[in-house]
Amino acid sequence: MTLVTNSGPKRIVFLQEQVSQLDEPVYARMHATDPRSCAVVYWNDYGFVRTQSDPETRIVPDFVEHGHSPYPRVWLDRRRMRFREIANAIVSFAPSLVVLADVPARLRWRLASALRGQGVRVALRSDKNHLSDTRSRGVRLAIERAFTQATFDMLAPTSPLTSEYYRWPPRRPAVLFPYTTNACKFRPDEQVQLEARNRVRAALNIPRDAFVFVSAAKFSERENPRQLADSFALVARRKPHTFWLALGDGPLLAPIRDAFAKAENDRVRFPGFVPFRVLQDYLFAGDAFLHFPVIGPWEVSPQDALVAGMALVATESVGSAEVFFKGSERRFLVPVGDVERSADRMEELVTLGPRAAETVGQARSRTADYTVAATASRLLDVAS
């Protein structure tokens, strides 16, 4: 067991497997505001920095984000430490609330039973919803809902879609704990954004006055890069001063890149995998964000793009877009595989030019509850 930063009693303990660049700023902010507010127990086989390659891209993801302050955290080696060690590590902080996240369901249930038996409240953090490929149906769903409501004192959903999935009763405690966007990172001063925009465009030989679409996706079947490529190819023929900045890597990158080269289309840029710590600079270089996965129960990159001030087109399978788009904005939700529809929406944005981002202004305002600051504030209220 490895202990980092100070120990002592904490009001909330979070248990999770993956170290997340989206969660760490929340924990750091909570700790900076109230040193007794939280601690995190990580249960995995790599420690605090990921070392395993992504199964779709075969690349070790570089999610290290600098700049946030430390927070109390413990690493338990999953290869050697099981139920008793995990329970002891949690109880050592004498918490009043434990939030169980991305650990196996059976472990969550055992821990919830043991901790509640000691008078500790237990919350389930989940992103499961009707778009998940692991969703239950029929009788299994009814059983899952009943069991979840009986096992946990509180729900910490990543979005309202999860609350709907579990049919969590309104009278029961719940706290929104989303995959957050750091507004300080994705919405800095306008001068910072402009300098990054010009710098990236110059480095990639993109004219300053071009309309640029940006995507950040694995080049894998699930993330559907072919619809991105086919849609842009249509738009490029009709709108000559447009570019596509296609971030990411994966098995489908080479054939898509070769297809554009064969078509002599020189308005696509393939920078490859971009570390999260510099992702915002590439978003600032663009005007509209595209996200067309086949399955996307939440998908945080469209949320980041909205916070960064971009327009957005997404497939109907993207949970974040489903939540944020209301009314007329929902025309920017397109069916998976419908190249003509997605190209039409993209052309609409190109025609609007500098005013394209105004099409999703209300959706942008709805991201306010999904920022690091808002989430840390809610969790601190629960911890008080």
Side-chain angles (χ1 to χ4, degrees):
M1 183 171 75
T2 303
L3 178 65
V4 179
T5 75
N6 66 302
S7 56
K10 305 298 175 186
R11 297 187 182 93
I12 304 181
V13 172
F14 301 89
L15 174 66
Q16 61 190 73
E17 285 195 55
Q18 301 296 343
V19 180
S20 170
Q21 78 278 12
L22 307 178
D23 296 339
E24 285 202 287
V26 174
Y27 302 143
R29 191 180 185 100
M30 291 178 67
H31 179 65
T33 303
D34 179 357
R36 294 191 60 194
S37 63
C38 70
V40 184
V41 177
Y42 291 107
W43 183 65
N44 58 49
D45 57 8
Y46 60 80
F48 300 126
V49 178
R50 295 191 188 189
T51 58
Q52 297 175 331
S53 61
D54 183 280
E56 293 178 301
T57 64
R58 302 184 183 91
I59 295 173
V60 177
D62 183 357
F63 289 146
V64 175
E65 181 77 292
H66 304 294
H68 61 72
S69 57
Y71 59 91
R73 58 184 185 172
V74 171
W75 172 53
L76 302 180
D77 191 335
R78 183 173 59 192
R79 294 163 294 190
R80 292 192 292 271
M81 296 183 180
R82 295 296 186 263
F83 179 79
R84 181 176 296 178
E85 290 85 1
I86 298 170
N88 289 342
I90 292 172
V91 172
S92 70
F93 289 106
S96 60
L97 175 66
V98 174
V99 179
L100 303 179
D102 60 339
V103 294
R106 183 170 297 180
L107 176 60
R108 287 201 304 259
W109 300 336
R110 288 186 66 192
L111 284 171
S113 177
L115 292 167
R116 294 179 77 189
Q118 298 182 48
V120 179
R121 293 181 302 153
V122 181
L124 170 65
R125 188 195 187 192
S126 175
D127 62 0
K128 202 170 185 180
N129 62 49
H130 69 286
L131 296 170
S132 302
D133 56 0
T134 59
R135 66 189 182 277
S136 300
R137 296 177 174 86
V139 174
R140 290 179 63 88
L141 176 56
I143 293 172
E144 183 181 7
R145 286 169 171 167
F147 194 81
T148 300
Q149 293 178 25
T151 303
F152 298 98
D153 300 288
M154 178 182 292
L155 186 66
T158 57
S159 79
L161 300 179
T162 298
S163 299
E164 295 168 9
Y165 176 81
Y166 287 112
R167 288 191 180 170
W168 193 256
R171 66 182 183 281
R172 296 280 302 278
V175 57
L176 179 65
F177 186 5
Y179 299 127
T180 61
T181 294
N182 190 339
C184 295
K185 173 186 175 74
F186 287 97
R187 194 66 172 174
D189 293 341
E190 288 186 12
Q191 187 60 32
V192 173
Q193 293 188 63
L194 180 60
E195 289 174 359
R197 179 184 181 90
N198 292 339
R199 182 174 63 252
V200 171
R201 287 193 175 209
L204 296 174
N205 193 26
I206 299 175
R208 288 193 177 189
D209 60 346
F211 191 98
V212 177
F213 294 100
V214 180
S215 63
K218 300 172 187 176
F219 280 76
S220 65
E221 294 292 346
R222 186 190 73 84
E223 303 220 4
N224 194 19
R226 289 191 181 91
Q227 184 172 349
L228 289 168
D230 293 344
S231 300
F232 179 74
L234 275 181
V235 173
R237 288 198 293 269
R238 302 167 184 168
K239 301 287 184 179
H241 208 49
T242 55
F243 282 73
W244 175 28
L245 180 50
L247 313 180
D249 205 337
L252 297 180
L253 173 59
I256 288 176
R257 185 172 50 202
D258 291 347
F260 277 102
K262 185 176 181 180
E264 299 184 349
N265 186 328
D266 62 353
R267 286 183 278 137
V268 186
R269 302 292 182 266
F270 296 103
F273 175 81
V274 172
F276 182 72
R277 59 180 169 272
V278 296
L279 173 62
Q280 68 280 1
D281 291 350
Y282 289 85
L283 297 191
F284 299 154
D287 300 288
F289 192 78
L290 308 175
H291 201 59
F292 296 166
V294 175
I295 298 174
W298 183 249
E299 304 294 296
V300 76
S301 55
Q303 175 180 298
D304 293 338
L306 286 171
V307 173
M310 304 180 75
L312 173 64
V313 183
T315 46
E316 295 170 338
S317 57
V318 174
S320 54
E322 178 178 329
V323 169
F324 295 138
F325 283 164
K326 306 293 181 185
S328 63
E329 293 173 333
R330 294 186 70 82
R331 70 186 186 278
F332 294 105
L333 282 176
V334 298
V336 172
D338 193 332
V339 172
E340 286 287 348
R341 181 88 65 89
S342 49
D344 286 346
R345 296 285 73 77
M346 291 164 65
E347 286 189 42
E348 177 183 346
L349 296 176
V350 175
T351 301
L352 289 170
R355 295 174 46 239
E358 297 174 10
T359 59
V360 290
Q362 291 301 310
R364 194 173 347 274
S365 67
R366 296 185 187 101
T367 64
D369 285 337
Y370 295 78
T371 64
V372 168
T375 301
S377 178
R378 283 192 300 273
L379 292 171
L380 284 167
D381 287 343
V382 172
S384 61

